[in-house]
Amino acid sequence: MTATEPEAAPASVPASDSALLLVDLMPRILALSLAPYAGELVLRRCRALAADFRSQGLPVVQIRVDRPGVDEQPPGSGFAEELVEPSDVVVVKQTLGAFQDTGLHEELVKRGVRRVVVAGLVTTMGVESTARAALDLGYEVEFVADAMSAFAADEQDFTVERIFPRLGTVRNAAAYRPLPFVPADFVIPRTLDAGEFRLEPLGPEHNEQDRAAWGDSVEHIRNTPGFDGSWPPAEGISLTDNLRDLHRHARDFEDRRGFTFTVLDALTSTVIGCVYVYPDREDPRTADVSSWVTAERAALDGRVVEVVGDWLDRSWPFGALSYR
């Protein structure tokens, strides 16, 4: 029901033999028209990823490209500001991938690296080419799906959903954070009875009602705080694609990576909305919360925010809430 949510991470992620490879985070590339994530958003997420790896004593490799055969590189060919730290490995390449004639493989071998975690720009070019070269050299490869972007959203979706899972493991940036979203001993509340509505975990059993609910309320949801006109898609999606997203949300719930609840009418058990509770991308101690209800039940919008916000504050162990 939302953008692709890759596989959850086991407790050992990132593994102790991992290195983070950040590809082509250069001003002239960050300024390109990219989708589904703007260059500045990818940069923020990559900075946070790098901080997570450094905090765990793992290598961070900063990679940029020089155009071969020119006297002077075009403006914006250096690294983005506040990206590179003195402890980082710096690699300058002249090809799409980062391994050819750069010494990167030797640097990783010296550090005992056997697994590379790849993020940056552009998904279908520098990122994919670097990953394929790493595979040829015997590395295990992981892709950080929400810390990369392509020239078009459909290119990103196809590559992340169909190509990358055949090459390695696809995860989101939250999987590499050293702090868990909720403590291991916390018992997850699975329901909330709020009188006129109730919450239960969103799952495949809600597929037809869920798609119908948001499909009939696209403009209302796009104007709801927290969605910023970016979701739902105006053209809709198939039941098959919606089902796939519901399976991902259900896996996230069981793996404690994020918690998505369907909002049901208390009398009819009809789907009338949804609540998303995921870690904030910059501060995992903060729960980033958003919710929607159908246009027909718009009067419930404020009530859902009030009741659910109070429930999360009172019954869940989050350091802070950001409810939009």
Side-chain angles (χ1 to χ4, degrees):
M1 204 182 69
T2 57
T4 299
E5 295 288 345
E7 293 295 333
S12 58
V13 168
S16 60
D17 58 357
S18 300
L20 176 65
L21 310 188
L22 298 181
V23 181
D24 291 341
L25 295 172
M26 306 155 58
R28 66 179 176 84
I29 297 179
L30 290 161
L32 296 173
S33 177
L34 302 167
Y37 308 117
E40 281 302 312
L41 179 56
V42 173
L43 177 60
R44 283 207 312 272
R45 292 174 179 173
C46 286
R47 284 182 181 133
L49 263 175
D52 290 339
F53 272 68
R54 295 185 196 109
S55 72
Q56 297 169 79
L58 299 175
V60 174
V61 180
Q62 306 283 1
I63 300 160
R64 66 172 181 84
V65 62
D66 270 356
R67 290 181 180 175
V70 298
D71 293 332
E72 186 174 343
Q73 296 299 314
S77 292
F79 289 108
E81 293 183 0
E82 300 178 1
L83 178 66
V84 181
E85 294 287 343
S87 61
D88 295 351
V89 178
V90 172
V91 169
V92 179
K93 61 189 175 80
Q94 294 190 336
T95 56
L96 276 179
F99 283 90
Q100 183 175 333
D101 300 325
T102 63
L104 174 56
H105 178 50
E106 291 76 11
E107 291 291 336
L108 296 179
V109 169
K110 282 195 300 186
R111 290 163 172 79
V113 172
R114 302 180 62 184
R115 185 188 316 265
V116 295
V117 179
V118 189
L121 299 170
V122 172
T123 301
T124 54
M125 298 184 71
V127 171
E128 184 172 352
S129 183
T130 295
R132 289 182 180 273
L135 280 171
D136 288 342
L137 290 167
Y139 294 96
E140 294 186 39
V141 178
E142 297 175 11
F143 301 90
V144 191
D146 62 349
M148 59 180 68
S149 201
F151 290 121
D154 59 350
E155 292 179 10
Q156 171 100 350
D157 290 345
F158 181 85
T159 303
V160 167
E161 294 175 17
R162 302 292 296 276
I163 303 301
F164 286 172
R166 297 173 179 172
L167 305 180
T169 302
V170 181
R171 297 192 172 101
N172 277 337
Y176 298 94
R177 292 182 184 136
L179 296 175
F181 188 31
V182 293
D185 59 353
F186 176 65
V187 179
I188 306 298
R190 298 184 69 86
T191 59
L192 171 66
D193 187 347
E196 63 267 56
F197 67 88
R198 73 176 191 275
L199 304 188
E200 65 180 45
L202 178 69
E205 67 273 17
H206 301 114
N207 189 34
E208 290 191 16
Q209 285 197 34
D210 175 78
R211 194 191 67 162
W214 66 256
D216 291 339
S217 302
V218 170
E219 287 307 312
H220 173 69
I221 298 170
R222 280 175 171 253
N223 290 316
T224 298
F227 295 92
D228 303 323
S230 60
W231 188 88
E235 67 278 9
I237 62 174
S238 68
L239 270 175
T240 299
D241 287 340
N242 200 71
L243 180 63
R244 181 183 61 207
D245 288 336
L246 267 58
H247 275 296
R248 291 191 185 100
H249 283 300
R251 288 200 303 268
D252 278 354
F253 200 109
E254 296 307 317
D255 292 329
R256 306 164 71 91
R257 292 185 62 244
F259 307 98
T260 303
F261 294 89
T262 189
V263 182
L264 302 174
D265 181 272
L267 294 177
T268 65
S269 295
T270 303
V271 172
I272 60 171
C274 211
V275 175
Y276 310 91
V277 185
Y278 275 83
D280 181 83
R281 296 186 188 279
E282 275 72 48
D283 183 1
R285 297 166 298 181
T286 297
D288 188 4
V289 186
S290 57
S291 62
W292 59 266
V293 297
T294 61
E296 184 179 8
R297 303 299 295 272
L300 269 180
D301 264 323
R303 176 69 175 156
V304 169
V305 171
E306 177 186 1
V307 171
V308 172
D310 178 69
W311 176 58
L312 293 172
D313 186 52
R314 176 171 35 85
S315 302
W316 292 68
F318 303 125
L321 294 178
S322 174
Y323 202 149
R324 296 172 293 163

